[in-house]
Amino acid sequence: MQPTNTNNRQNMKKRRLLSALIVTMITMAAQAQILLTDTNSKDALPIVTANEVAVIVTDAADAPVVATAADCVAQDIKAVTGKPLATSHELKGGTPVIIAGTVGQSPMVDALIAKGKVDASQVSGKWEAYSLQMVDKPKKGIRRALVVIGGTPRGTAYGLFELSRLAGVSPWIWWADVAPAHQEALYATGDRLTVGEPSVKYRGIFINDEDWGLQPWAAKGIDKQYNNIGPNAYAHVMELLLRLKANILWPAMHPCSEAFWANKANLPVARKYDIMLGSSHCEQMLRDNEWEWRREPWNGTNEDWNYVTNTEKIQRYWEERVAESVGYDGMYTLGMRGVHDWGISGYPSTEDKVRGLTDIITFQRNLLAKYFDDVTKVPQLFIPYKEVLDAYNAGLQVPEDVTLCWVDDNHGYIRQLPKPAEQARSGGNGIYYHVSYWGTPADYLWIASHSPTLISYELSRAYDQGIRTLWVINVGDIKPAEMELEFCMDLAWDIDAWTPERAIDYNRHWAAKTFGEAYADEIAAIKRDYYQLAAGGKPEHVHMIKYTNADKDSRINAYAAIVQQVDKVKAHIPAELQDAFFQLIEYPVKGAYCQNVKIFRAAQSIELAKLGHREQALSYAEEARKAFSTIEQLTDHYNNAIADGKWKGMMNYHPRDHAHLKAMPQTATAADVSDEEAPLAKDDVTIIPATACTAKSAKVKAIDGLGISGASLTVWPLEMTAYNGEGISEASYVEYDVPVKAGKNHIEVRCLSNFPINTTYDLRVALAINDGAGGVDSQAPTVRSLKTVATKGKWNSTVLQGYNDAAIDYDAKALGQARSVKLRVSLLDPGVVVSEIRVSQRQ
């Protein structure tokens, strides 16, 4: 696309840089006086000018990640100015200097601290904290320098990448081709910027279900020599993690992917980027069973992955990796499951599993004690997932210093949070959370669509209940979950920055720093509506959800309006950001729209044909076919046209070759149209958004962007009280005027499809109707439980449609005409979220 005129482009670039600086200042919530600007001033330190280029000086004695980050930042500045910074281990005069080092590991920085030139009081001994400080005369012959210090080597690296952010460089400069605005010159101004410890200690990702994206893309491109995901891909992954201020990686582990530890060329990459290595719930002791157990020298099978019958071999298998991992930063998953994501063998009953896992964990701990001085200081993880959760709840004892890692239901709703005694464990608590998933009741591997508000609500509750040691996000192939991942890492770094009440604003924050202030409002509105529609059905799931025809039409119309806005904004996006806009905005929005059109219009065409509505039936059929063709075209453009083919093989609109994604559903033909035209049925449904209440308790807050209707109501902050019996009248409540008609009225209170806080609680509402005529007494409420069990029963539908319902019927026999009644919804347990009220007629 041709860019707008030159003056407009330059103004846009300046606005984008200004936006990035403003956003950074607001986000840091610290002494954000250090800025990078294109304007010189009296005390400014030149970074890049027509005649000067600064040098980043690191200490050869420091950890390798410091020099790694320095090299990245040097190239980031080149992306902004066209001139890379120099890097060196020698501090000397003659050029502007940026000094970077870790307190206690860099003699150069320690000397500055000893002389009183640098203040390390807010950084020294602080986990991953960092500070940027302007220092006068750090050495003879050097007038001024910008000094970056970290409490740990990663902290120093984060501090260096802070310079990239201040220069307007997105973390997605490589992974989503977000080009920074060009500046002819850069100067550092100000005094100090200090950032304290993160809210969550370990923050990172799990690369998973990579068979249709990351693995073929890497194998045929960046790691072609390995025919698999290899050190080149992992280097880019780990650089991204540093840019996002993350620190842990669970590498890819599907059968198609070579185990991270099996390719020895991967190991130096982990050291270079200082990324901790971990593994998932079915990969104990840093082993990748799918790749390693099945191959030489182990030649294992599913059947002999049985600790009861094959104890010695499995023990040797684990010990080999523990021995190899000494000297690397690792977190060891304890326990045992199947070779892959299935149940543990050899222990038929839950009681057997408790006994067996106790023996297994005891051996694993003894193994770690053999190779490390103090086993209680070795990061360890226990993930109570599926059948292992049953064993844990049945009394399995996990050592106090081991981190308990809780899980969501694979669809973004956390199954169970720790109780007070579990929160007090010295090992702390973690969460394994999905924004991409392969499994029941349906996958969502194609397009990412968890909203920041949903993520914040679930993860903020988790943090509130003590999950502060580890957050690992299953991101699938990383793409196209860029914004969702960045939000998770931003929240993990500062839990107060994006509380559930404020999370809706992240759409604009992210849009401004990614594409510029000029487009922030429009892109934020696009993202808001996109996430709201996905809350009521992800594009991968709409074929399984029971929508009324009015719902289908409403969704299509809403998506069409978003697509129109996407095209409008796209026309003004600068040429250098067009590829990024396509990846981050256009493809997911248009893909979701077309999938809804394909599924709905195909089904409606057949329905209309049976009713004899020829013109509309055939029109809908054509609309469905066109939508499917558009998906194919968009995906081809993603893989072959953008970024000069850089992402060839990354995007697949039908992972696992599911028919509802890969194939065109049946549509009506002229031969299918009935000769007799019948009238179309109309949906008699009244929808009341949660926020359209007439009264509510003071503790009930509106959470914008949560739930199926754009905003939901819940008690926030959490109130850890369960109300029963006569105490129900003391519970927080919401009231609505609900229109009813003569006859039977079915009233549904649609709530978020989440889970009770922990096993102590239920998830209940009390419904009471007051019709003013004594028909239903508001003091005799009907209690309904919203509790479901993940992967079982009602959950299989509620998790797809985005709501669980508590219903009550009201028979208005005596009414001669329509009227309203008062509905009170009492929130009896912590975590109940009301999204919508629906009223329909029952025959």
Side-chain angles (χ1 to χ4, degrees), residues 103-178:
V103 178
Q105 296 191 39
S106 167
M108 183 166 45
V109 162
D110 289 345
L112 292 173
I113 295 171
K115 293 176 182 177
K117 296 284 187 179
V118 171
D119 178 8
S121 61
Q122 293 179 285
V123 172
S124 181
K126 304 292 186 181
W127 179 259
E128 297 181 341
Y130 60 89
S131 182
L132 281 63
Q133 301 179 25
M134 202 71 79
V135 175
D136 291 328
K137 299 178 181 179
K139 183 179 180 180
K140 185 177 181 180
I142 301 177
R143 181 184 68 84
R144 209 167 199 222
L146 178 59
V147 179
V148 179
I149 62 171
T152 65
R154 272 194 298 264
T156 308
Y158 297 154
L160 281 164
F161 278 117
E162 189 66 39
L163 294 175
S164 294
R165 281 188 285 273
L166 289 169
V169 177
S170 166
W172 302 101
I173 184 173
W174 192 87
W175 275 98
D177 305 295
V178 180

Side-chain angles (χ1 to χ4, degrees), residues 159-211:
L160 281 164
F161 278 117
E162 189 66 39
L163 294 175
S164 294
R165 281 188 285 273
L166 289 169
V169 177
S170 166
W172 302 101
I173 184 173
W174 192 87
W175 275 98
D177 305 295
V178 180
H182 179 76
Q183 298 296 316
E184 289 296 327
L186 278 179
Y187 299 88
T189 65
D191 173 53
R192 183 179 301 187
L193 188 159
T194 299
V195 178
E197 295 181 308
S199 298
V200 178
K201 185 171 185 178
Y202 298 111
R203 313 160 306 280
I205 66 171
F206 178 24
I207 296 173
N208 196 214
D209 308 320
E210 65 277 6
D211 313 48

Side-chain angles (χ1 to χ4, degrees), residues 110 116 151 202 287 293 296 408 442 467 524 534 578 600 649 677 733 780 834:
D110 289 345
Y202 298 111
R287 277 296 193 179
W293 179 248
E296 294 284 352
D408 69 346
I467 296 183
Q578 284 289 327
F600 294 159
E677 185 173 310
Y733 67 87
V834 179

Side-chain angles (χ1 to χ4, degrees), residues 708 748-752 803-805 833-836 838:
I708 59 176
E748 288 184 13
V749 180
R750 295 187 168 182
C751 301
L752 201 67
Y803 68 88
N804 195 352
D805 61 294
V833 181
V834 179
S835 293
E836 180 180 280
R838 281 208 176 197

